[in-house]
Amino acid sequence: MICIELDIFSGMYNPTWSLTAKEENDFLDRILADPSLTAPPTTAGSLGYKGFIVYASENARTRLMSAGLPSYFYLNAKKSTEAQSSLLHSKEAGKETKDDILQIAEDAIPSANKAIQTLNKQWYEYWATHTDSEPAPSPKKENKIAAESDLPEVFQENSAAENSPNCGVLYGVHYNDVFSWNTSYYLKHNNCYSFATFNRNLYRNCARAQPGHKSRFPARINLNDWTDVVNRSVRDGLWTTCPPGPHFLVALVLAPGADYHWYRLCTNGIWCHKPGCAPATYLDASNQVITNPQTCNRNNPGGINYSVFCGYMYVPYNLRVSGPPWQKCGSVACP
C-alpha cells in the first residue's frame, strides 16, 4: 500500500489518501525508473503547496527497499511535474480532498517548480538520514510543566517590535533557535500551532496540534470565521489580554476557507514561524526577515493566500497544547 500526504497546509491536517492497486504499480514503476524522485528535497518550502510525503508499506515497501530506495520519502515541488500531477489525479484524492484544494496544488506545480526558495540544511539532512524507526525524545522530559523559576537560559526578556503590542514580562527565544525545531523527530510531528506555543509534540501516533482539541471542542474548525480559531485557542489557554507571569507574543492569520497560520515573536524584533511539517524559519514568502507579521508577504506560489490578519495573542510559558490525552491520535494521518 502507498499512502500520500499532500503537504499544503500550515495548521490544519494535510489531506491524505491511498493509491489504488493500479496507481500504486504505475507510481512504483515511475519511482524505480527515476530513483532521483526519492532523493532529499533541495528546497525547504514555505506557506502553501510544497509537495507530497509518500508512505509505503507491505508489498510496495518491499519492492522499494529491494531496489535500495526508501519506503518513506518526500516528493517535493522542485521534482517531476508529471509525477506530482498524477498523484493529484489519483482516484482517492478527490474523495479525501476538496476539489478547490486539489486545483490550488495543480495550479501551483509550475510556479512552485520555478520558485527560488532557501535551502534548509536541517530539512535536507532529515530526509537524507532519517529512518522509519527513529526514536522519539522522552515526552515526560520535554513536556514538563515549568514554573517561572525554571525558565531556561535560552529565554530572554523581549522588547517587542515597535509595531507590536507589549505587556508584562514578555519572553522570547533567539531567532536562530528556530533551527532546533528542524531536526529529526520535530519536523514531521509539529505545525505552526505547536511552534507558536513553544510546545513540541513528541507522540508518533498523534496528529499535529489543533486549536480547541485540548479543550474538547468539536473537531471541525470554521475557517471562514477567524473568531472560531481565537475562541478555541482561548479555551486551550491562550490569552487575548496580558496574562500573568512569563509569556510569548503570537500572531494569527487566516486563509479563508482553507487554513490558519501562527507566528511567534522571537528576540530582536524578529518573528518566526513553522509552516506545517516544513522547517521553522524567520523568512516570509519573499525570503525577507519578518519584522511585522501584519505586513509581511504571506502569499506564495502555493496559491493559498493568508490574507486575513486576525490579531495578536499571548501564550503563557507553561502552556501545553500537544500530546495525549486531548490530542487526536490513531488513524488521523498516514502511518
Side-chain angles (χ1 to χ4, degrees), residues 3-227:
C3 188
I4 304 297
E5 179 176 345
L6 172 60
D7 191 7
I8 194 169
F9 292 145
S10 174
M12 295 297 293
Y13 301 137
N14 280 326
T16 62
W17 63 88
S18 298
L19 300 182
T20 65
K22 182 180 185 308
E23 291 168 345
E24 179 179 308
N25 285 330
D26 291 344
F27 183 71
L28 288 174
D29 288 343
R30 188 190 302 274
I31 297 297
L32 293 172
D34 185 5
S36 69
L37 293 175
T38 68
T42 54
T43 55
S46 58
L47 291 172
Y49 173 70
K50 293 173 282 293
F52 299 90
I53 301 173
V54 179
Y55 309 76
S57 61
E58 301 166 356
N59 293 337
R61 178 189 179 99
T62 301
R63 189 173 170 189
L64 285 169
M65 295 185 71
S66 65
L69 298 176
S71 60
Y72 168 49
F73 57 91
Y74 200 94
L75 183 68
N76 77 316
K78 298 286 282 187
K79 296 178 181 176
S80 167
T81 298
E82 186 179 355
Q84 295 170 71
S85 182
S86 68
L87 293 179
L88 289 173
H89 290 281
S90 54
K91 183 177 180 180
E92 297 296 321
K95 295 181 180 179
E96 301 296 331
T97 312
K98 293 180 180 179
D99 290 342
D100 58 337
I101 297 299
L102 292 174
Q103 191 60 55
I104 285 173
E106 181 83 28
D107 294 342
I109 289 175
S111 57
N113 283 336
K114 296 176 183 178
I116 299 175
Q117 297 171 314
T118 303
L119 173 64
N120 184 292
K121 183 179 179 182
Q122 288 87 353
W123 180 239
Y124 180 91
E125 289 179 348
Y126 169 73
W127 288 102
T129 61
H130 82 283
T131 65
D132 293 341
S133 58
E134 57 184 327
S138 169
K140 291 183 179 179
K141 179 179 179 180
E142 289 278 348
N143 281 346
K144 174 188 175 184
I145 300 298
E148 184 171 356
S149 59
D150 294 327
L151 281 170
E153 292 182 1
V154 70
F155 286 80
Q156 307 170 29
E157 286 198 29
N158 202 343
S159 295
E162 293 181 0
N163 50 37
S164 304
N166 192 1
C167 74
V169 184
L170 184 67
Y171 280 87
V173 179
H174 193 274
Y175 59 88
N176 280 333
D177 189 67
V178 301
F179 300 121
S180 70
W181 288 74
N182 298 346
T183 57
S184 185
Y185 196 84
Y186 300 133
L187 268 171
K188 175 187 173 187
H189 295 272
N190 290 276
N191 61 357
C192 63
Y193 191 46
S194 297
F195 179 81
T197 56
F198 205 80
N199 195 222
R200 290 183 174 98
N201 170 31
L202 303 172
Y203 298 89
R204 176 181 298 277
N205 294 325
C206 295
R208 300 172 193 119
Q210 297 292 318
H213 279 191
K214 176 184 176 181
S215 50
R216 309 299 202 279
F217 251 46
R220 185 174 296 278
I221 298 175
N222 183 359
L223 293 170
N224 289 306
D225 180 7
W226 60 266
T227 62

Side-chain angles (χ1 to χ4, degrees), residues 236-248:
D236 281 353
L238 278 71
W239 290 58
T240 56
T241 57
C242 298
H247 56 270
F248 306 110

